[in-house]
Amino acid sequence: METILKFMIVISLLAFVESTCTNNNTDQKFLFKAFSSVSNFNTSWFSSSPYDSSNCTNITQINLSSKNLTGALSWHFLTNLSHLHTVDLSNNSLTGSIPPLFWSIPTLVKVNLSKNRLGGTLGSEPASVSSIQALNLSKNRKRRMARLNKWAISKPTIYHHHPPFKMEKSGPFNFETESGSSWVADIKEPSSAPVVMFEKPLMNLTFKDLIAATSHFGKDSLLAEGRCGPVYRAVLPGELHVAIKVLEQARDVDHDDCVGLFEDLSRLKHPNLLPICGYCIAGKEKLVLCEFMATGDLHRWLHELPTGEPNVEDWTTDTWQHPSDGENPLNLSSPNKVEWRTRHRIAVGIARGLAYLHHARSKPVVHGHLVPSNILLTDSLEPRIADFWVSRDRVVGSAETDVYCFGVVVFELLTGQPSSDEMVGRVRRLVREARGIDALDSRLRLGGDSVSEMVEGLRVGYLCTAEIPGKRPTMQQVLGMLKDIHPMTME
């Protein structure tokens, strides 16, 4: 009997150990995915015997200093480690850039990435970096700490059932933006306006949850104030990072008409579109939810980020050193901006998305305001057209107008100059005079057939910006011409 009792105790202990290891196994999977492309990483460093209960906890520390690690991490997998507070990867040869999302890990306290070969985006101002108390990024390829714009580092508010601010019990609810404008959700109970999520229909969210996730639609969560209204960043349950857009121009649209419109738009799915993933109608205010794109938009990438290569001579930077007055306030580097292939791939992606809007249905979906600030970029610089739903509640042009706007975007990509009537007129004149090469962005790296390809790209933009709308090509034709310029572009 005593032997049986001992055996049962052992079995129960093993079962307890196995259950406590579940979260650790999940953490290990994410950790191994993060280091899957890093040479000399050894999974045994984080593997333990299932019978050793002392190791069956969530991963809280990554201490891999001086391990001869080389390559680039997939940083986004680390955001799934819910108890991670220390990361020390110093004195290795890690490369690549760190996405802003990494700095939003709420439990992160200490980070040491010094003595590596990291470049691009390395960090942000101390006040904006979640709860980090100790940070060392010295002796990397970047000369100084990167100071990101608000789109990149606006601190998302993690959803709480009990928000850290006083919420009014009854409406109307008034929200003020940085510009001094305001918008009002004229409802009595914030929980009376449901949030509809197309891909996650079982999520039980209301306008009250959106208030909590944005700190009462506070200025810290405000990303921008666009032509359609303010845009906020939030993190919903399940670590769902979203941008919330208030459609000011849709206030007079009937409730049922809006529901039908949003449901119809949710069916438009294409890799180069940024569709709405949900909506909320609070009184007359219509809010749409989209995936948050941390890289920002094409305008910022093309016109605001410096092109120069990181300075590799200065290895003495301080950890919290900021740019001096007069320097670019972003202080980021985007070396791939000088590559014609990168800009060509972006142009092709935009053309694909716009061609889908124009030709996927019997009646074209007109964007109405295609500009670089409405074209968002993924981490791999794949473009996604946003705000195509704004035009659906009013008449804002035609497919030919979209083609013209696309031609202007092509001119911007090839000249590096912001759009204006003067810029368009100058480039069109140079193309007519067979002097397109004089319009090319001097930052573009030349070589091989790149010059002739870029000049051919200007000709495509010239056709798109024809003064007579009927002479402009369709987006299907434009896409074909762009792909013919460089057939190696992958579908």
Side-chain angles (χ1 to χ4, degrees), residues 319-383:
T319 51
W320 287 122
Q321 188 175 3
H322 295 296
S324 59
D325 293 339
E327 292 189 12
N328 187 293
L330 297 176
N331 201 25
L332 297 173
S333 173
S334 184
N336 50 11
K337 191 192 302 185
V338 304
E339 299 292 343
W340 152 238
R341 294 288 187 268
T342 300
R343 300 199 195 186
H344 177 258
R345 181 164 56 85
I346 291 174
V348 170
I350 301 169
R352 285 189 180 124
L354 202 53
Y356 175 83
L357 289 177
H358 287 186
H359 303 289
R361 295 183 170 187
S362 57
K363 183 179 180 181
V365 176
V366 177
H367 189 286
H369 191 65
L370 185 72
V371 292
S373 59
N374 282 335
I375 300 167
L376 301 179
L377 299 173
T378 67
D379 291 340
S380 59
L381 298 182
E382 188 69 25

Side-chain angles (χ1 to χ4, degrees), residues 187 192-195 207 254-256 258-259 262 279-287:
I187 53 177
S192 64
V195 175
F207 184 66
D254 180 75
H255 180 283
D256 293 339
C258 252
V259 171
F262 293 150
Y279 69 90
C280 177
I281 300 179
K284 288 189 174 183
E285 299 292 354
K286 282 80 176 180
L287 291 73

Side-chain angles (χ1 to χ4, degrees), residues 72-76 78-79 87 89 94-105 108 111-114 116-124 132 135-137 140 142 145-146 148 152-153 294-295 332 379:
L73 269 76
S74 299
W75 295 92
H76 62 282
L78 298 182
T79 62
V87 175
L89 300 174
L94 297 174
T95 58
S97 60
I98 307 169
L101 187 61
F102 171 76
W103 305 110
S104 300
I105 299 177
L108 206 56
V111 178
N112 187 353
L113 304 176
S114 62
N116 278 286
R117 299 173 57 195
L118 296 167
T121 302
L122 289 185
S124 59
I132 295 178
L135 175 63
N136 189 352
L137 301 174
N140 270 284
K142 275 300 289 184
M145 280 289 297
L148 307 180
I153 63 167
T295 304
L332 297 173
D379 291 340

Side-chain angles (χ1 to χ4, degrees), residues 1-10:
M1 183 68 180
E2 182 178 355
T3 302
I4 295 176
L5 180 61
K6 289 181 178 180
F7 178 76
M8 292 179 64
I9 292 175
V10 170

